[in-house]
Amino acid sequence: MSLWTSLEPASATVDPGSSTTVRLRVRNTGDIVDEYHFEPVGALAPWTTVEPRSLRLYPGTTGTVELTFAPPRTPDATAGPNPYAVRISPTEHPDAVTVPEGNLTITPFTEVRAELVPPTVKGRFRGRPRFAVDNLGNTKVTASLSGSDTGDKLSYDLQPGNVQIEPGRAAFVKATLRPKQIIWFGSKQEQPYALTVRRSGTEPMEVDGTYVQRGFLPGWLATTLGLLLALSIAFLMIWLTYKPQVKSAALEKPEKAGAIAEPKPSAPIKTPPPKPDDKADEKPEKSGGGDEEEKKGGGGGGGGGEEEPEKEKKPRKVTAATAVRKLAEREEGRHICYRVYVEDGGWQKPECDGAEAGSVGAGKAVKALNVAVSRTNGVTGASAYVIDGWRKGDEWEKADDGKNMYLGSTDGDINPMQGYTMQVFDGSVCHDAYVKDKQWMGQSCTEPGKWTYGGSPMELNLQLEAVRFTV
């Protein structure tokens, strides 16, 4: 070995978003002039800068190289000790490669964001917003969730009530708001509320929303019923007070005719019983209904009066468009519903607004996507990126609000999907994809009116297994 190295210091600490420098001292212990090339290796290599990249040293001389580490303030900069290394390759002895190693400790930081989707919900008996909590720090976040409002007029059901979120991931919580008093008559009322994220050692984070409670019956109906009740009571009081005296004229006639003696009834006339011969001559009267019913029974004989059995009705398929239209009727705001076609499993039921669609950890690939939106002025997406290339070149699929858009193919000869592109025209779309052997890739949101790619990095060629979307 014709090289001596030393890291000063061997262990260093750096905050995400800032930088630190470590010196690498190199001495040529050989007997010839040699040139050394330096290259950072390992997980920290993308954030490591070497200056200079090469040194030319005479025998017995020492040179210094500076290693600058600048990890970004993102979840990728994992908190804790992280090993690093530098590969030193001599020009004269290319086989005598030296790799000095050191340790860089990245300090932890926490950044949590929360959002209500949608921020305003409407309903008579309940409202169902979704609560998204994102961990943008580099350490796991454990938090409890709760709701509150002025006057304690609402009750809250949060599923789940506690979350643990890995760095770079998000948790989606289903919230159900119920008013403690029902508005039977009258106009709608707005009730501000807040959902709170509580973490140990930090101030609670509140996200404000509004619940618009509608009356069970409209106000004009209450006014009309009140007027009808008042008129009914007034009419009853008038009737009881001024009830007319009614005499029946049928009682006066017998009094006037009472002087005339009524004739006495004569003895009843007895009718002799019929003779036996008379009974024999009597014939039962035929009913004319028999011929008529035969006519109604229809020609051709054999049970003309029986009803034909009803044809068995096929169940109606529930698509993403069906689900999003029903959701839009119950709740205002932007919505997105979607379902996936799973290999060897067929179409699954639609999911909406951040719920998970597909199979996580089961190894079943997604072959096609069915997407529909409401109140976003439509949705568009590129034909699904499959493992052997873009299925339809640069073509785009587009659907208006409440209509179905399909990406990918259910054809058994076409490979499963690897990714997708998505865009809505009013607002932005947030998406996350579960990829084979890589798990969830992390939520990403587009700028308003822009499109984005989601799924496996194209160079890895990994199949898509599950998705979730919000708008």
Side-chain angles (χ1 to χ4, degrees):
M1 180 66 66
S2 62
L3 181 66
W4 170 87
T5 61
S6 174
L7 287 169
E8 299 177 356
S11 298
T13 302
V14 65
D15 296 328
S18 61
S19 62
T20 188
T21 301
V22 173
R23 292 183 177 179
L24 173 62
R25 298 181 62 192
V26 181
R27 179 183 300 170
N28 184 356
T29 58
D31 52 2
I32 61 173
V33 178
D34 206 343
E35 184 175 4
Y36 303 95
H37 299 275
F38 305 91
E39 179 186 2
V41 293
L44 300 184
W47 309 326
T48 306
T49 303
V50 180
E51 189 64 33
R53 299 301 297 265
S54 63
L55 281 178
R56 186 177 178 84
L57 299 177
Y58 288 92
T61 60
T62 303
T64 302
V65 175
E66 291 188 349
L67 307 178
T68 303
F69 302 97
R73 190 176 174 83
T74 64
D76 297 331
T78 306
N82 293 269
Y84 68 89
V86 180
R87 182 188 292 117
I88 306 176
S89 303
T91 302
E92 299 297 331
H93 302 86
D95 296 334
V97 176
T98 303
V99 184
E101 298 180 355
N103 188 61
L104 179 68
T105 300
I106 300 177
T107 59
F109 77 94
T110 303
E111 184 176 349
V112 176
R113 292 182 186 174
E115 180 183 9
L116 272 170
V117 183
T120 301
V121 292
K122 297 181 179 181
R124 292 181 175 85
F125 304 108
R126 62 179 175 268
R128 291 178 174 174
R130 289 185 178 273
F131 195 37
V133 183
D134 297 294
N135 181 8
L136 304 181
N138 62 353
T139 58
K140 181 187 292 186
V141 167
T142 301
S144 62
L145 310 173
S146 61
S148 62
D149 60 273
T150 305
D152 194 23
K153 296 181 180 179
L154 302 175
S155 63
Y156 304 87
D157 182 16
L158 304 178
Q159 296 294 335
N162 298 279
V163 293
Q164 285 189 345
I165 312 173
E166 296 292 336
R169 300 303 174 93
F172 295 90
V173 180
K174 295 181 179 179
T176 302
L177 315 177
R178 290 187 174 88
K180 295 184 177 179
Q181 291 184 350
I182 298 175
I183 302 175
W184 294 105
F185 300 98
S187 59
K188 60 186 179 182
Q189 296 181 6
E190 293 187 358
Q191 177 61 46
Y193 70 95
L195 296 185
T196 305
V197 181
R198 301 180 184 275
R199 295 178 293 124
S200 177
T202 62
E203 290 293 328
M205 176 188 298
E206 292 187 350
V207 180
D208 296 328
T210 303
Y211 173 62
V212 180
Q213 184 180 1
R214 297 169 174 168
F216 185 75
L217 295 175
W220 63 266
L221 183 58
T223 305
T224 303
L225 292 177
L227 289 174
L228 290 176
L229 180 61
L231 290 174
S232 301
I233 295 174
F235 178 77
L236 181 62
M237 295 299 295
I238 294 172
W239 174 265
L240 294 177
T241 304
Y242 301 101
K243 182 178 180 181
Q245 299 296 327
V246 180
K247 258 189 176 181
S248 175
L251 298 177
E252 297 179 1
K253 274 191 173 182
E255 292 177 2
K256 293 179 181 179
I260 304 174
E262 295 182 0
K264 295 182 179 180
S266 59
I269 302 173
K270 295 183 179 180
T271 306
K275 296 179 180 180
D277 296 335
D278 296 337
K279 289 184 179 179
D281 294 335
E282 291 180 2
K283 294 181 181 180
E285 185 178 356
K286 291 184 179 181
S287 172
D291 297 336
E292 191 174 332
E293 289 191 7
E294 286 182 7
K295 293 177 183 178
K296 289 183 180 178
E306 294 180 3
E307 296 181 1
E308 295 182 5
E310 295 184 0
K311 294 182 179 179
E312 185 179 354
K313 297 181 179 179
K314 295 182 179 179
R316 186 180 179 183
K317 294 182 180 179
V318 179
T319 65
T322 308
V324 82
R325 287 195 295 265
K326 290 183 179 179
L327 182 59
E329 290 176 0
R330 299 194 307 267
E331 302 176 8
E332 293 188 358
R334 289 189 287 265
H335 298 285
I336 182 170
C337 292
Y338 41 92
R339 60 175 181 152
V340 300
Y341 188 95
V342 179
E343 190 174 27
D344 298 331
W347 286 108
Q348 295 186 349
K349 67 175 184 177
E351 303 290 348
C352 300
D353 294 341
E356 179 183 296
S359 58
V360 175
K364 295 184 178 180
V366 172
K367 291 186 66 69
L369 280 175
N370 172 208
V371 182
V373 296
S374 66
R375 299 184 180 94
T376 66
N377 199 21
V379 62
T380 181
S383 298
Y385 187 88
V386 294
I387 291 185
D388 55 354
W390 289 98
R391 189 171 64 87
K392 290 186 180 180
D394 295 329
E395 292 182 8
W396 287 73
E397 303 292 339
K398 182 179 183 298
D400 296 330
D401 285 349
K403 302 294 183 180
N404 283 312
M405 181 185 75
Y406 290 91
L407 301 179
S409 174
T410 61
D411 190 345
D413 296 332
I414 296 181
N415 288 332
M417 292 176 60
Q418 176 179 326
Y420 51 83
T421 54
M422 193 79 64
Q423 175 189 6
V424 295
F425 297 97
D426 184 2
S428 62
V429 58
C430 296
H431 61 94
D432 195 358
Y434 186 95
V435 178
K436 179 182 180 182
D437 300 330
K438 291 293 183 181
Q439 298 185 349
W440 290 103
M441 301 303 293
Q443 186 184 28
S444 175
C445 299
T446 68
E447 296 181 7
K450 302 293 185 180
W451 65 272
T452 184
Y453 172 80
S456 168
M458 296 182 183
E459 67 275 6
L460 296 182
N461 289 336
L462 297 176
Q463 68 185 23
L464 184 67
E465 295 185 355
V467 294
R468 51 194 181 196
F469 300 102
T470 57
V471 291

